[in-house]
Amino acid sequence: MKRTATAVWNGSGKDGNGHLTTQSTTLNKTQYSYKSRFEEGVGTNPEELIAAAHSGCFAMKLSFVLAGAGFTPDSLDVTSTISLEDGTIKSSHLVLKASIPGISAEKFKECAEDAKANCPVSKLLNAEITLDASLV
């Protein structure tokens, strides 16, 4: 499987702007700029997209890990917070709130740690990955 996305940037780093388009067209000429990345401008930014990718990948991986252990979650609510410091993505902090009938706290922690270590986006990131996981 291969997926593509395209970025077009016009102008200087601080004063320019660009747009992103994904193969699926979920993003279709979605704007991004210095302001949307480093201030509070309208549009997306690479770190936000990495956070979305990491939270989505982790949630899906965890659902597969849970299925392998005999559990079906009612819901997995995952937030990823990406930290950009000195021009480097330093970390992704995952917060998981899960509703999983019949699972013990120990088995839940084991499954969540497995998903954290083995989701493809976790494997891609050269950053510290932390997890706060709770059953709700």
Side-chain angles (χ1 to χ4, degrees), residues 4 7 13 20-21 33 46 51 55 60 80 83-84 88 95 101 108-109 121:
T4 63
L20 303 165
T21 300
S33 66
S55 59
M60 187 177 283
S80 167
S83 295
L84 178 70
T88 301
V95 175
F108 169 66
K109 181 178 168 78
V121 173

Side-chain angles (χ1 to χ4, degrees), residues 80-92:
S80 167
T81 302
I82 297 293
S83 295
L84 178 70
E85 301 170 27
D86 300 321
T88 301
I89 293 174
K90 297 284 189 179
S91 65
S92 176

Side-chain angles (χ1 to χ4, degrees), residues 22-125:
T22 58
Q23 178 178 334
S24 67
T25 67
T26 297
L27 298 179
N28 189 7
K29 295 187 177 182
T30 302
Q31 72 179 31
Y32 76 114
S33 66
Y34 179 90
K35 286 185 179 185
S36 70
R37 190 169 192 188
F38 299 109
E39 296 173 4
E40 295 298 322
V42 175
T44 192
N45 61 70
E47 292 73 28
E48 178 180 69
L49 297 173
I50 292 168
H54 200 197
S55 59
C57 184
F58 172 81
M60 187 177 283
K61 178 64 175 178
L62 180 55
S63 72
F64 281 109
V65 171
L66 289 165
F71 298 95
T72 301
D74 286 340
S75 68
L76 302 172
D77 182 336
V78 182
T79 301
S80 167
T81 302
I82 297 293
S83 295
L84 178 70
E85 301 170 27
D86 300 321
T88 301
I89 293 174
K90 297 284 189 179
S91 65
S92 176
H93 179 66
L94 298 166
V95 175
L96 165 64
K97 295 177 183 170
S99 175
I100 308 164
I103 198 167
S104 69
E106 290 173 2
K107 190 63 174 177
F108 169 66
K109 181 178 168 78
E110 175 188 320
C111 290
E113 289 294 329
D114 180 337
K116 180 186 100 171
N118 293 303
C119 91
V121 173
S122 288
K123 289 181 174 186
L124 173 70
L125 293 175

